[in-house]
Amino acid sequence: MSELQVTVGVPNGLCARPASRFVRAAGRHTVPVGVGRPDRAAVDARSLLGVLTLGAGHGDTLVLTADGDGLAAREALDELGALLADGRDAAR
């Protein structure tokens, strides 16, 4: 399992619009991806309700996990991590 810690850079956190963009991006990947807080169980990154229940705000740390250690897992983590970290991109 691959893992990546990311600090949320979206100014308003993962509210509806950036969470929806994140979930759509997660759905494009072939590997299952989870997202959660370091001290809690991860939720499915393809679940809008699950992502919203994290209550992730600007500056919070989230952990992304992807099944597998291959290229597909790394690409998924890189793209999704960038969406979370880059407030300008995720807020569009």
Side-chain angles (χ1 to χ4, degrees):
M1 182 171 292
S2 299
E3 187 175 291
L4 177 68
Q5 277 199 350
V6 180
T7 301
V8 177
V10 182
N12 293 325
L14 282 180
C15 58
R17 184 174 292 147
S20 177
R21 183 174 172 87
F22 175 82
V23 166
R24 282 194 312 271
R28 289 192 297 266
H29 291 280
T30 59
V31 296
V33 178
V35 59
R37 294 182 177 270
D39 58 342
R40 286 201 246 160
V43 298
D44 184 350
R46 297 170 294 188
S47 166
L48 181 58
L49 184 58
V51 171
L52 289 173
T53 61
L54 294 172
H58 178 79
D60 289 349
T61 299
L62 295 178
V63 178
L64 296 170
T65 56
D67 283 349
D69 295 315
L71 181 60
R74 180 50 43 198
E75 287 175 348
L77 293 181
D78 288 346
E79 179 187 356
L80 297 174
L83 277 175
L84 291 175
D86 184 6
R88 294 170 293 139
D89 190 37
R92 281 191 240 158

